[in-house]
Structure formats: C-alpha cells, structure tokens
Amino acid sequence: MEHIVFGIGITALTGALATVAGSAEDTESNIGSQGDPNSQVQLAPQMGFLHRIFNKAVAGEPPAYGLWCALGAGLAWAFMAMQFNAVLAIVLGSVLAVFVQGVYATTAYVGRTASLSKFGQPVYVDILKSMTTVTMAHAFIAIFATVALCQLINGALGHPFPLPLLGLVWGIALGAAGSATGNPYYGKERQYQNQKFGAGVPISASGNIVRYAEAGERNSLDNGWFTTKIGGSAAGVCFGLIVFLELWRTVLFEQVAAGWGAIVVGVLMILVFTVIDRYIEVWARKNYGPYTEAKEASS
Amino acid sequence: MTVKVEVIEGGIPHNKIMIAGIVSTLVCLYLTYLNVLTSTEMFSFFGGLAVIAALIWGSHTIKVLCSYGIGTGVPSAGMIAFGSGVIAMLLATKFGFYAPIVAAVLAAIIGFILGYVSNNILNMKIPAMVQALTEMAVVGALSLMGFAALITGGFTFAGLTTGHVTVMGMTLLTHEQSFLGGCLIAVAFLLGAIAIQHPFNACLGPGWTQDRMLMLTAECGFLSMLVAAIMSFALISTGSALISLIIAIIGWAYTYNEYMVLSKRDAAAWLDAKPIPEVEGH
C-alpha cells in the first residue's frame, strides 16, 4: 500500500511538471513560429507581405523537442555519472541543451530569411536578439521540467529505461502535445484575425498574415503573449494529462494480472477519450456551424 | 509528385562531395583507432571530425533529394538516414577493426532496399530516391559510429557496452555506464538527425546558396561535437575529452561566424530595429 501512495505522489508531481513543460513548450514554439504556422510565415514575403515575425523552423516540434530533451537528459546523465548532484546535473544539462536550441534558432531564422532575399525580406537583428532569448527562456523551463520528470520516473518509480531514452520519448511526446494542441490557435486564428472566424485559410488569403499590432508592427512576442492565454494552457493541460494518466494507470494497475491490468486500463482510457472527443466535436459543429461560403480575401 | 523545384546551379558537383565525404569520414574513423594502437583516448576527437565530414556529405544529399517535392518535409529525411543507419552501425560494431567498412556496406544495402521499396512499391517515383536513401543510410551509420568513437574512444561492441564505475576506490565493470547501456546512442541519433536536416531546411528557398548551406552543416556538426564532447567526460579520461571539447569550441565559433558573414552577404538587408520596408502594391 505504501509504495502505491508514494507512486501516486510522484505521479502527481510529474503531472504538475508536465503541465508547466507543455505550457512553456507551446509558447516557445509560437514565438518561434515553429510547427504548422511556419509555412504561412515563410510564404508571406513571397506574396509580397514583408513582416517582422520570427521564423525559426529547426524541424517539426516533436523531433526538435526530442533532441532538446534527449540532449538535456543525456548531459544530465553524464554529469550524474561524474558524481554530480542530480538537481545540479539536470540544471546544467538543461542549460547546455538550451544553448544548442538558441544556436539552432538563430541559424534557422537567418538562413530562411537570407534565402528570401529575392522578395526583399530583410533580416532584423533586433528580432533575432529579442526573440531568441525569449524562446530560450521558455525552452529552458520546458526542458528542465521534462528532464526532471524523466528523472522522477527513472529514479523514484524505477522505470528500467535510462534517462536519455526517457528524455527522447517524453521530449517527442511533449513536442507532439504542443504541436497538436497549441499550434492551431496561432496558425489558424492569430495569423488570420483578418478572416472570418473558423474560415480556415482560403487560397486567396495565403501568406496574408496579420502583420500590424495594436500599436506598431506585430512581432512574435505579441504572438507569444496572445497564445499563452489559451493555446499554452491547453497544451500544458494536454501534456500534463498524458503524463499523469500514463503513470497513474501503471502505478495502480501494474500488479493486476502480471502487468496486463495496466494495458487493459490504458485501452479503456483511450475508448473513454474517443467518446469524449467525438461528443465535443459534434457539439462544436452544431454550435458554431460548418463554414460553407468561400469568401474573397481582402489584401 | 515529382516536380523538381530547384536545380543546383554552380558550386561543387554532388559526386565530388560524396567521394570526399566517404573518404574523409572513413579516414577520420580509422584515425580514432590510434587510441587502441597507443593505448590512450587522446585521438577520440577524430570521431567528431568524422561526424562533421559525414554530415556535410549527407546534408548535400538531402538537398539533392528534397529538391523534388517528396511531400514529407525535410526533417523526415534526417530521421530515415539515422533510422536505417543505426541498424547497420550496431551490427557492424561486432566486426572490430573492420567495423567502419562493414557499417558502410551494410548501410548501403539497407538504404538501397528502403529506396527500392519507396520508389517501386510505395510508388513515390522520385528519380534521386534510391541513390539518396543509400547514401543517407551510409551517412547515418558512419555518423553514429563517429559519435560512438568521440564519446567512448572506440567503435567496438565491447567498448560501447561496458564502462567503469569507481566505488570506494575500487574500479568495477558496469554495463549501465556505457554508450549503449546509458542510451547515449539515443542522444547521438537525434543530434545527428537534426544536424543533417537543419542546413537544407534552414537555407531552402529561391536564394539558396551551396557555400552558405555547407558552412551551416559544419556549424551544426561542430555544435553537436561540442555537446557530445561534454558527455564524453563521463566515459573517457578528462584530458582526452578536453581536447575534443576545445577543438569543437574553436571549430564551432569559426563556422558560426563564417555562416553569419555568408548570410549577411545573401540577405536582402540587415536591419536593426527598423520598420517593415514599403513594397509597391501592398
């Protein structure tokens, strides 16, 4: 009984860490225009819409976060192998991983923008300086929280995978959660506030992203500020739930029928979530209605 | 969808890069064998240089392949390179001295099969696919072997699976503190997979230039070598790891600076805190 109570405590702690990580990850990727909003940011100058939006497409979020978290975990593992204290090792590993992330972000922005020289899109040094540092700060929170939860899974719950492999697995899961949950809010709504709500992106409006802010010209910090509110929180809840429920079923039902209990509960949870998702989708369609009429965009 | 969207204009032809890449990678990998001959770990940094040579070749292969609309994005090419390469690399480590050559041959076979499957069975019908996937599997296998040599000082299976841990002054053999046992191979996998796809992914577009992309590849390679060198402190002697780290830092600083200079050359303008330029018609 005692070890179950202990396991549930660790599960709650990892769930909380994962929520923080998911929220920070989504905000980071939105400030960097990573994931699916990226194509429009990349396309805009080609359609004549020059902008001051940061564009750091290192890779899709899952592989990128797979690397940052696996790297943070691998370095933390190495520091722990050198007899460093675990907390210090995780902090140092995350700092070095964030350094790599920052370097990749700058080369991605500069490279992409330089390749668009034909369309007159300039490289903004002030954007490079101010956005990269903010994404690095958010990435540090995301990486540190993820590596810390991996260490808890490995050290406290006794998971057989070594820390770097757990970092890889949960890093990819983190990127996938942020990419699937948070991005549409930026890519489909924030970039296209000048279009009808729920209109998607008509071909004629491609690249015509919103480039002016409440005051002055919009940059990616404005986007980060906007998406933190709902997109970031949603991504945090998503990743938090994934980590919490995954560990919860393992801790509680692993002893049932030689491990099969946890698998059966996992399948049941997927079924329950499928029903909930379907219900929400039908409800949303009924209330907001399908978008039928294709309207000409004003450019 | 086999529309070729870009062509390589000028610059070094791909075959030249390929030959230079495979030769320098194999030479660098074999130079790490000096570790065995001299019973030190001082020559581990050659593993990192092998990684950089392989990545430069591989990123140009990705450029050749992804100039066709393959429909899956550039990062997927990096994943398949290392995903197919890791099989060949792990099997080849059993062959001792011949490991790098065995890895290259095995990876070429695996890559060829994957290329054949994608082109003829999945019907992707992309002209460069078979050759590109073959090359990329070899790049993936040799890069992983380079990372292994950089972090552990060798590329044999025994060296990758055993480590030492000191308990109360006694040195014990352990499998947990090793390249494979600690799953550092997972980190090496992603370090390579992101570094190989990033240069073309970051430089694609109408203003693509070969020298800028290859400089970025070298930068990504040195950056990966830098963090891998830090991890190697756990598995090889401090002095040897320090040599790798210093070489990586110098190489990274130089290539990063050069890349920024080349980007400044290619960019439309390099502005600091200026508004969006006016374009006619908008």
Side-chain angles (χ1 to χ4, degrees):
Chain A
M1 191 63 206
E2 218 168 60
H3 77 274
I4 290 183
V5 174
F6 175 75
I8 290 296
I10 297 294
T11 303
L13 193 54
T14 51
L17 279 169
T19 309
V20 175
S23 180
E25 191 276 345
D26 184 56
T27 310
E28 189 268 347
S29 73
N30 285 339
I31 294 172
S33 306
Q34 211 170 349
D36 72 328
N38 180 268
S39 59
Q40 294 295 321
V41 177
Q42 172 79 4
L43 181 66
Q46 309 189 24
M47 309 300 283
F49 304 104
L50 303 185
H51 58 72
R52 275 169 56 84
I53 296 189
F54 194 39
N55 175 13
K56 63 152 192 85
V58 176
E61 283 169 61
Y65 266 87
L67 172 60
W68 315 146
C69 294
L71 186 56
L75 288 161
W77 179 92
F79 286 126
M80 279 187 248
M82 290 181 255
Q83 312 299 326
F84 277 50
N85 172 298
V87 176
L88 183 62
I90 294 172
V91 171
L92 284 177
S94 306
V95 166
L96 285 165
V98 163
F99 167 73
V100 173
Q101 182 264 355
V103 172
Y104 268 105
T106 57
T107 54
Y109 172 68
V110 168
R112 279 265 167 122
T113 314
S115 288
L116 289 172
S117 59
K118 204 177 181 178
F119 308 101
Q121 171 70 36
V123 173
Y124 288 105
V125 184
D126 59 314
I127 292 286
L128 191 62
K129 286 178 191 161
S130 50
M131 310 291 139
T132 308
T133 40
V134 177
T135 61
M136 283 169 79
H138 283 86
F140 175 78
I141 299 172
I143 297 168
F144 175 77
T146 309
V147 177
L149 81 86
C150 292
Q151 170 66 14
L152 282 175
I153 293 171
N154 177 275
L157 296 182
H159 198 286
F161 284 4
L163 191 57
L165 188 56
L166 282 172
L168 172 81
V169 171
W170 286 113
I172 291 176
L174 168 64
S179 179
T181 317
N183 274 1
Y185 195 50
Y186 170 35
K188 305 290 181 296
E189 299 305 330
R190 177 66 169 171
Q191 283 181 332
Y192 285 97
Q193 283 176 315
N194 50 4
Q195 304 289 319
K196 192 172 187 237
F197 177 73
V201 184
I203 300 279
S204 56
S206 263
N208 185 12
I209 55 175
V210 177
R211 299 172 297 143
Y212 295 95
E214 288 76 2
E217 290 164 355
R218 182 182 281 183
N219 63 36
S220 288
L221 291 186
D222 297 322
N223 289 338
W225 165 81
F226 176 83
T227 54
T228 314
K229 197 170 152 189
I230 296 176
S233 322
V237 169
C238 173
F239 188 56
L241 275 179
I242 291 172
V243 173
F244 178 80
L245 291 176
E246 153 67 21
L247 295 180
W248 175 81
R249 75 179 172 103
T250 313
V251 168
L252 278 193
F253 301 102
E254 204 181 12
Q255 308 301 328
V256 181
W260 283 98
I263 294 172
V264 170
V265 173
V267 172
L268 280 177
M269 278 193 324
I270 292 171
L271 291 176
V272 168
F273 272 98
T274 310
V275 171
I276 295 175
D277 291 348
R278 179 69 190 155
Y279 175 79
I280 293 176
E281 191 193 337
V282 171
W283 178 85
R285 275 186 194 281
K286 214 189 298 175
N287 279 280
Y288 300 108
Y291 179 81
T292 47
E293 207 179 331
K295 281 199 175 172
E296 274 298 306
S298 56
S299 61
Chain B
M1 286 298 288
T2 55
V3 188
K4 196 166 189 197
V5 288
E6 287 166 57
V7 286
I8 302 171
E9 287 166 5
I12 310 163
H14 178 66
N15 284 344
K16 213 169 178 178
I17 293 179
M18 178 174 77
I19 294 164
I22 193 156
V23 170
S24 44
T25 308
L26 285 175
V27 168
C28 284
L29 274 176
Y30 271 112
L31 281 175
T32 63
Y33 205 73
L34 287 173
N35 278 344
V36 180
L37 297 179
T38 58
S39 313
T40 56
E41 287 160 336
M42 263 163 46
F43 300 99
S44 308
F45 69 89
F46 279 115
L49 300 182
V51 171
I52 295 160
L55 287 178
I56 289 178
W57 162 30
S59 77
H60 204 265
T61 310
I62 288 189
K63 153 72 190 161
V64 172
L65 174 64
C66 293
S67 295
Y68 298 88
I70 56 168
T72 56
V74 181
S76 63
M79 296 300 148
I80 199 164
F82 280 74
S84 47
V86 70
I87 308 166
M89 177 266 181
L90 276 181
L91 187 57
T93 51
K94 284 300 244 181
F95 289 83
F97 178 77
Y98 301 102
I101 291 171
V102 175
V105 174
L106 269 178
I109 296 169
I110 294 171
F112 182 83
I113 295 171
L114 288 175
Y116 178 82
V117 169
S118 4
N119 245 9
N120 298 53
I121 298 176
L122 297 177
N123 260 333
M124 288 176 87
K125 298 253 187 283
I126 292 165
M129 185 65 115
V130 178
Q131 193 195 337
L133 283 192
T134 310
E135 284 177 38
M136 285 199 297
V138 178
V139 169
L142 294 182
S143 306
L144 278 171
M145 199 163 266
F147 275 121
L150 171 67
I151 294 175
T152 67
F155 46 68
T156 53
F157 191 73
L160 299 187
T161 48
T162 43
H164 301 280
V165 64
T166 315
V167 183
M168 296 201 201
M170 278 206 306
T171 306
L172 300 172
L173 234 96
T174 165
H175 294 296
E176 276 174 21
Q177 284 210 13
S178 63
F179 186 71
L180 288 179
C183 256
L184 289 183
I185 193 169
V187 186
F189 181 100
L190 270 175
L191 271 178
I194 296 287
I196 198 176
Q197 60 80 25
H198 179 66
F200 181 61
N201 200 28
C203 293
L204 57 80
W208 176 86
T209 46
Q210 193 190 46
D211 54 350
R212 180 159 57 95
M213 185 189 82
L214 294 182
M215 188 58 78
L216 179 55
T217 317
E219 188 268 338
C220 291
F222 276 114
L223 184 64
S224 307
M225 182 181 170
L226 198 159
V227 278
I230 295 174
M231 280 187 271
S232 75
F233 276 94
L235 296 175
I236 61 174
S237 68
T238 308
S240 315
L242 209 57
I243 295 175
S244 309
L245 184 61
I246 291 168
I247 290 174
I249 289 175
I250 294 170
W252 174 75
Y254 173 76
T255 48
Y256 187 77
N257 191 44
E258 283 295 301
Y259 170 71
M260 284 295 165
V261 170
L262 290 175
S263 299
K264 214 167 182 172
R265 179 199 70 190
D266 290 348
W270 198 267
L271 304 177
D272 195 357
K274 294 281 189 304
I276 300 171
E278 290 295 323
V279 180
E280 267 182 57
H282 290 287

